[in-house]
């Protein structure tokens, strides 16, 4: 039997929503929409959590409405709502979590909390055949870490930076150099 999952991601400066259909081992992305804030936050020199949260609040409802329209689905058709709960910036995270909670309450659907770092590690399975266990490397603006991935729900941090992530250090260096 097919399952429809709504995904909501607001951990930093992108507001993203997706509708995914899973039937047996087949996963189909029905819609994936996002609003990026790079341009609007550039004048501040990067992400400002409070401004990012306000932008998420402004964009999440239109993105959800458009996503359901494009997929030709009603929100009631969703079997569960997956939402990023950690790690991330508190204000932006709360915007997505509150949208998910509201929909879950309104349509009586379960919420699936998502650690977006684990989601990054598992995204490889959307396009490649990778068997467990494997060594995962995350390099982003906020995180640089090695993980031992034993299964879709078993991740162990092997090592990570103790200060700035590689992406953050790169951004800071770029600012210094103009």
């Amino acid at each position: 039997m097919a399952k429809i999952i709504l995904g909501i991601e607001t951990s930093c400066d992108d507001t993203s929503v997706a509708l995914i259909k899973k039937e047996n081992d087949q996963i189909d992305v029905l819609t994936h929409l996002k609003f990026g804030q790079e341009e609007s936050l550039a004048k501040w020199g990067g992400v400002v959590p409070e401004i990012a949260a306000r932008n998420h609040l402004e964009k999440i409802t239109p993105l959800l409405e458009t996503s359901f329209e494009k997929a030709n689905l009603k929100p009631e058709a969703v079997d569960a709502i997956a939402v990023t709960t950690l790690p991330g910036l508190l204000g932006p995270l709360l915007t997505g979590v509150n949208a998910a909670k509201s929909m879950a309450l309104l349509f009586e659907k379960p919420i699936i909390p998502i650690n977006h770092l684990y989601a990054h590690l598992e995204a490889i399975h959307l396009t490649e055949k990778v068997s467990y266990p494997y060594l995962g490397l995350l390099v982003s603006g906020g995180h640089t870490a090695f993980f031992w991935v034993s299964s879709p729900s078993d991740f162990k941090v092997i090592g990570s930076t103790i200060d700035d992530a590689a992406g953050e250090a790169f951004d800071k260096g770029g600012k210094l150099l103009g």
Side-chain angles (χ1 to χ4, degrees), residues 50-69:
E50 295 81 12
I51 295 171
R54 276 187 243 131
N55 288 337
H56 286 303
L57 192 56
E58 182 181 311
K59 296 298 181 183
I60 192 129
T61 299
L63 285 173
L64 286 165
E65 289 171 348
T66 303
S67 191
F68 280 104
E69 285 171 16

Side-chain angles (χ1 to χ4, degrees), residues 137-145 161 163-173:
L137 170 64
L138 287 179
V139 179
S140 70
H143 307 280
T144 303
T161 56
D163 52 9
D164 287 347
E168 187 177 351
F170 184 78
D171 288 346
K172 285 179 179 178

Side-chain angles (χ1 to χ4, degrees), residues 123-136:
I124 186 82
H125 298 284
L126 293 172
T127 58
E128 304 294 327
K129 289 278 185 201
V130 177
S131 57
Y132 297 98
Y134 63 87
L135 179 66

Side-chain angles (χ1 to χ4, degrees), residues 50-170:
E50 295 81 12
I51 295 171
R54 276 187 243 131
N55 288 337
H56 286 303
L57 192 56
E58 182 181 311
K59 296 298 181 183
I60 192 129
T61 299
L63 285 173
L64 286 165
E65 289 171 348
T66 303
S67 191
F68 280 104
E69 285 171 16
K70 285 186 174 211
N72 198 28
L73 289 173
K74 300 247 184 247
E76 302 86 39
V78 167
D79 294 296
I81 301 165
V83 61
T84 304
T85 55
L86 62 110
L89 301 172
L90 185 58
L93 280 172
L94 285 175
T95 304
V97 168
N98 286 332
K101 282 182 173 181
S102 297
M103 291 186 72
L105 186 63
L106 187 62
F107 300 110
E108 298 180 347
K109 304 296 180 181
I111 290 181
I112 304 167
I114 303 294
N115 177 316
H116 89 266
L117 297 184
Y118 298 167
H120 281 304
L121 290 168
E122 285 297 287
I124 186 82
H125 298 284
L126 293 172
T127 58
E128 304 294 327
K129 289 278 185 201
V130 177
S131 57
Y132 297 98
Y134 63 87
L135 179 66
L137 170 64
L138 287 179
V139 179
S140 70
H143 307 280
T144 303
F146 281 103
F147 290 84
W148 185 252
V149 183
S150 299
S151 76
S153 60
D154 187 9
F155 304 84
K156 181 181 177 191
V157 177
I158 294 175
S160 67
T161 56
I162 58 173
D163 52 9
D164 287 347
E168 187 177 351
F170 184 78

